[in-house]
Structure formats: C-alpha cells, structure tokens
Amino acid sequence: MTIPRRSWRAAGTLAAAAVVGLTGAVLTAGPAAAHTPTWDVTCTEVSLHLTAYNADVTNQVTVTVDGKDLLPTETFGRGIDKTITLPEHDKALTVRLVVKAGDGDKYSRDESKQAPVCQETPPKPTPTPSETKPSETPTTATPTPASPTPTDTPSESASSSAPAAATPSPSSPDLAETGSSSATPIIGGAAVAVLLAGGGIMWSVRKRRTAQH
C-alpha cells in the first residue's frame, strides 16, 4: 500500500505544531512558577525578598504605611532584597506591598499586613536595700597621741636628788680660816702666862696673911 506524499506532509506539519505548542506552554509556565514574592512585617521593619522574576522586563515594587510611601516606586529586574525600618508608632500600622510584574498582571501582587506595636521591655525592679547589721565588736579608731601635759607633782628623781654643793672656783676669794692657824701657839702661851701670874699673886697674898698672924 502506498501512502501519498501529501499525507506525510500533513502529519509532519501537525507534529511540528504540537512540538511548538508544547514548547510554548513550557516557556509560559516557567515564569509563572518562578515568581516568588516573599515579604515579612515586624513591629520595627519590613523585609522584602522578591526573587525569580523575569529579568527581560521592567518590574516595579512600592511599599506604603497608612497611605504614605515607605519605599517609593522602585524598579528591579530578576529580584530585590531589601529591609526597611518602620517609623516609631504607638498603634498598629497597615503596611501595603504593591508589585507590578512586567510580563503580566497575573504575576503582580497587592497585599497588606499589620505592623504591631513593639512591647516595651519592663523596667528592672529596683533592688531593696538590705539592712546592715552592726558588727558585734565595734572597731575603735586608734587615738591620736596628745601633747604631753605637765604633771602637778615633781618626778621622784627630781625630789630625791639633792642639789650638788657648789664647788668654789679657783678665782673666788679665800674664805675665813677656821680651826687652828699659825697664831694658835701664841694665844696658848699667853693663857699659860696669865695662869702662872694669877697663881703667883695668890701665893703672895697667902704669904702676907701668914706673916701678919
């Protein structure tokens, strides 16, 4: 049996079309599965992790807080990794992320999250001062030595010791001689002479009285 050439050509055309269609489907599904918009919000910051986007087109990202720009519109290619600090706040904030993919709106994102209020760290309790107990044996300070005060009574050494006799100096005048001296024999001889004379007078008187009787 002979198959006409036209049938072969038609079959080849259909096969080629099928391959092209399958390839297009794969290429189309690839970017759709690759877009990964990941972001996180805490009480202090917003973290953006946008990866696996189409680098051949222009992609855009914008972050707002309560309607005000936190990250003005910024373009990126394959991805963007950024951390943005939130302003101080005493109530929850609404953070909005808007991503516009350049290869189709189906890859774009428009999401919102809440930024909670940061919990303040409780102050540390003030330690209660402990009562200090006095020590059992009080410490005495060493007294400062006072200046010596004169005593009312003289010291024993001063009272017991008699003043030493003054020794006359060689140059002082001679004191009066006491006791025996060179005139003593003369005085003794005169006294003996007086006694002899008195004895002679007494003897003469007695002799005259005897002669008269």
Side-chain angles (χ1 to χ4, degrees), residues 66 89-94 114-117:
D66 288 346
H89 52 282
D90 55 2
K91 62 179 181 179
L93 300 177
T94 301
Q114 293 291 317
V117 178

Side-chain angles (χ1 to χ4, degrees), residues 74-212:
E74 183 174 335
T75 60
F76 66 96
R78 184 171 181 81
I80 183 171
D81 193 350
K82 187 181 291 289
T83 300
I84 310 166
T85 302
L86 287 170
E88 293 184 0
H89 52 282
D90 55 2
K91 62 179 181 179
L93 300 177
T94 301
V95 182
R96 182 184 178 190
L97 171 68
V98 178
V99 178
K100 292 184 178 180
D103 52 358
D105 291 339
K106 60 183 177 180
Y107 308 126
S108 299
R109 291 289 184 274
D110 189 347
E111 301 175 357
S112 296
K113 292 184 179 181
Q114 293 291 317
V117 178
C118 294
Q119 298 295 329
E120 295 182 359
T121 304
K124 295 181 179 180
T126 305
T128 304
S130 58
E131 296 182 358
T132 56
K133 297 182 179 179
S135 57
E136 295 180 359
T137 56
T139 56
T140 57
T142 304
T144 304
S147 58
T149 57
T151 56
D152 295 338
T153 58
S155 60
E156 295 181 359
S157 60
S159 60
S160 60
S161 60
T167 304
S169 60
S171 61
S172 61
D174 295 336
L175 299 177
E177 294 184 358
T178 58
S180 61
S181 63
S182 60
T184 301
I186 297 174
I187 294 173
V192 171
V194 170
L195 291 176
L196 291 177
I201 292 172
M202 292 294 295
W203 182 79
S204 295
V205 172
R206 287 179 178 178
K207 187 175 180 180
R208 285 178 181 178
R209 287 178 179 179
T210 302
Q212 290 177 359

Side-chain angles (χ1 to χ4, degrees), residues 2-18:
T2 302
I3 300 175
R5 292 182 179 179
R6 291 180 180 180
S7 299
W8 283 104
R9 290 177 180 176
T13 301
L14 292 174

Side-chain angles (χ1 to χ4, degrees), residues 28-96:
T28 303
H35 293 72
T36 308
T38 303
W39 67 302
D40 188 27
V41 177
T42 65
C43 67
T44 58
E45 62 187 17
V46 178
S47 302
L48 299 179
H49 304 284
L50 309 181
T51 59
Y53 277 78
N54 189 352
D56 297 331
V57 298
T58 301
N59 305 299
Q60 295 180 344
V61 60
T62 306
V63 179
T64 60
V65 176
D66 288 346
K68 297 179 181 180
D69 287 341
L70 181 64
L71 175 64
T73 301
E74 183 174 335
T75 60
F76 66 96
R78 184 171 181 81
I80 183 171
D81 193 350
K82 187 181 291 289
T83 300
I84 310 166
T85 302
L86 287 170
E88 293 184 0
H89 52 282
D90 55 2
K91 62 179 181 179
L93 300 177
T94 301
V95 182
R96 182 184 178 190

